[in-house]
Amino acid sequence: MNEKIYKTIASTGAGSLVLGIVILVTGIVSGILMIVNGAVLLNRKKDILL
């Protein structure tokens, strides 16, 4: 009985760890893309303004 509980808790912990890593990587990548797009807009500001 205890082994079954241990396996359930271990798999849940591993799943949570994987989900956390995926969320962290997604946040970092989206932040980098936002910075790059902002830099492009700043460089082309003179072309956009009338």
Side-chain angles (χ1 to χ4, degrees):
M1 183 69 177
N2 287 338
E3 185 177 341
K4 201 173 191 181
I5 294 171
Y6 176 77
K7 285 183 179 181
T8 303
I9 292 172
S11 65
T12 303
S16 296
L17 186 63
V18 169
L19 183 63
I21 290 170
V22 168
I23 290 172
L24 181 68
V25 169
T26 303
I28 291 171
V29 169
S30 63
I32 290 171
L33 288 174
M34 292 169 100
I35 291 171
V36 168
N37 285 331
V40 169
L41 284 174
L42 284 176
N43 282 338
R44 296 184 183 169
K45 182 169 70 170
K46 61 181 176 191
D47 298 333
I48 295 173
L49 296 176
L50 297 176

